[in-house]
Amino acid sequence: MSKLGTLGARLHHGEIGYDFIKNRRIWYGISVLITITAIVGLAVRGLHMGIEFQGGAVFTTPKNMSVSVATAERYAEDASGHDAIVQKLGDGSMRIQVAGIDTGASDRIKDTLAQDLEVDAEQINAELVGPSWGEQIANKAWQGLGIFMVLMVIYLAIAFEWRMAVAAFIALIHDITITVGIYALVGFEVTPGTVIGLLTILGYSLYDTVVVFDSLKEQTKDITKQTRWTYSEVANRSINSTLVRSVNTTVVALLPVAGLLFIGGGVLGAGMLNDISLSLFVGLAAGAYSSIFIATPLVADLKEREPAMKTLKKRVLAKRAHGAARDESQGAPAAADDAYDDEENAPAAVGSRNQSASRDRGRGRSSGRRR
């Protein structure tokens, strides 16, 4: 832990660091490949919408059923003539979903399932879900997403600048696309819990991005008044100074979500936890990635196109070239040029002056009269 703290302090003070901005084309390429894969998976496989969005019936069997999930799924499909989704719950009961059926068909399917599963029909609980309810949930989710995006862009444009707002917007779209695409590839069912998870990750993703943007805004204040760093270099220092904080925050958030996904959904068999935990897990990881590798490099690209930043870059490079040429001609070490830069931008030193050597004359001798 002490080594991690030392590493974080050195990153924060700029003693060490990784050049994220220089390798931004690599990160852009990785993000494009992942996004294309997610879009292809979404187009080919599509989202497996839950019964809340399609309408149908949900049958819950008694506890400690000895029938396997595959067998129960086959019984449900034979009885209904529709595709069925079967989940085994932690208490041994089964949750069987059949979409696109009405009340009359529900009663018939319930009786047939009771015979096939060898249980009393009264022990099977049947619930009907109308598609209008799921449609209302979906519409409200889209409205909430749209309002959030608009308010987010307005806030970032006011608190920071419009370039940061655009970069944050692109990063959020990146996170949502990847999360939805992985949902399609994995084949998990989309439920209202999934929608809640998607809306939740927007806040986490924006939080990581704003942390880096706040550091960048502070470090680029009056950046054109110096000639040591370009905007991209300062942006890279901002990423490195907040890197450990972003990683720690993401890991702490991912641990309980991983418990829900792998232990709650996988080991304990609580299948309904998969709906929200998968979207949270993927979204949190994608949000941390986009805040470091996508949002800030995009801001640097946009800012470097400004005339003032172009002029600053030329001045910085010209000064470095002049310093390198001077070192070669005079044989001075590179550290001397760094010291020169520090003195140029540092305030005048204030302190006591050296005393004249004459004032020390006579000190240490006896002041007595001649003998």
Side-chain angles (χ1 to χ4, degrees):
M1 295 298 294
S2 61
K3 292 182 178 180
L4 182 60
T6 303
L7 175 63
R10 296 183 66 189
L11 285 169
H12 181 74
H13 292 96
E15 298 176 8
I16 60 174
Y18 180 78
D19 201 342
F20 293 95
I21 305 298
K22 179 181 178 181
N23 300 312
R24 61 188 180 277
R25 297 187 183 278
I26 298 177
W27 319 132
Y28 293 164
I30 294 174
S31 296
V32 169
L33 288 177
I34 296 176
T35 304
I36 291 176
T37 303
I39 293 175
V40 170
L42 184 61
V44 174
R45 300 196 59 175
L47 290 175
H48 193 63
M49 305 303 294
I51 196 172
E52 293 86 357
F53 297 100
Q54 301 183 67
V58 180
F59 304 94
T60 305
T61 66
K63 300 179 181 180
N64 301 322
M65 294 293 298
S66 59
V67 180
S68 65
V69 172
T71 302
E73 184 175 339
R74 177 168 53 85
Y75 287 159
E77 291 178 351
D78 293 341
S80 62
H82 295 77
D83 292 335
I85 300 175
V86 179
Q87 294 177 330
K88 195 160 189 177
L89 307 180
D91 58 359
S93 62
M94 291 186 177
R95 186 172 184 264
I96 304 173
Q97 302 180 56
V98 182
I101 60 176
D102 53 16
T103 305
S106 173
D107 295 337
R108 177 179 54 81
I109 294 171
K110 177 180 177 180
D111 295 335
T112 305
L113 283 176
Q115 295 177 2
D116 293 336
L117 298 175
E118 298 180 355
V119 296
D120 189 356
E122 298 298 328
Q123 294 181 314
I124 297 179
N125 182 36
E127 297 179 357
L128 287 175
V129 179
S132 59
W133 184 80
E135 185 178 356
Q136 293 177 2
I137 293 293
N139 291 335
K140 294 295 183 181
W142 283 113
Q143 292 176 7
L145 178 61
I147 294 174
F148 173 84
M149 289 292 189
V150 172
L151 293 179
M152 179 270 296
V153 170
I154 295 175
Y155 169 76
L156 291 181
I158 296 175
F160 298 98
E161 59 173 300
W162 68 266
R163 295 168 187 82
M164 292 184 178
V166 171
F169 179 80
I170 294 175
L172 286 179
I173 297 299
H174 166 272
D175 300 341
I176 295 175
T177 303
I178 291 178
T179 305
V180 174
I182 290 180
Y183 241 92
L185 292 173
V186 174
F188 277 16
E189 185 182 17
V190 178
T191 66
T194 306
V195 177
I196 295 173
L198 287 174
L199 294 177
T200 303
I201 66 173
L202 299 179
Y204 279 102
S205 176
L206 188 61
Y207 171 78
D208 286 338
T209 302
V210 168
V211 167
V212 183
F213 283 178
D214 185 66
S215 175
L216 180 58
K217 178 183 178 182
E218 183 67 24
Q219 295 192 39
T220 54
K221 187 181 298 182
D222 298 329
I223 188 175
T224 56
K225 296 181 180 180
Q226 54 83 47
T227 56
R228 296 195 64 193
W229 312 102
T230 65
Y231 189 93
S232 294
E233 291 170 343
V234 176
N236 192 71
R237 290 165 62 92
S238 299
I239 297 176
N240 282 279
S241 64
T242 58
L243 181 61
V244 174
R245 176 181 179 180
S246 298
V247 171
N248 289 340
T249 303
T250 303
V251 171
V252 169
L254 282 176
L255 287 177
V257 176
L260 288 175
L261 179 61
F262 299 108
I263 298 178
V267 178
L268 300 180
M272 69 285 296
L273 294 178
N274 291 334
D275 306 338
I276 188 172
S277 59
L278 179 63
S279 60
L280 287 175
F281 188 85
V282 176
L284 287 173
Y289 173 85
S290 65
S291 64
I292 297 173
F293 298 96
I294 302 299
T296 309
L298 279 176
V299 173
D301 280 338
L302 293 174
K303 288 292 291 186
E304 289 287 2
R305 297 180 180 180
E306 293 184 359
M309 296 301 117
K310 290 181 179 180
T311 303
L312 173 62
K313 186 175 182 179
K314 291 179 180 179
R315 291 166 53 200
V316 172
L317 296 179
K319 182 176 180 179
R320 291 177 184 175
H322 174 72
R326 184 185 60 194
D327 291 342
E328 291 181 0
S329 61
Q330 299 179 359
D337 185 55
D338 293 338
Y340 173 81
D341 290 340
D342 292 337
E343 292 176 0
E344 178 185 354
N345 295 287
V350 178
S352 60
R353 294 179 298 175
N354 293 330
Q355 300 292 333
S356 174
S358 62
R359 295 192 177 186
D360 293 331
R361 295 176 182 175
R363 292 186 179 180
R365 295 184 302 179
S366 60
S367 58
R369 298 179 180 177
R370 292 183 179 179
R371 295 180 181 177

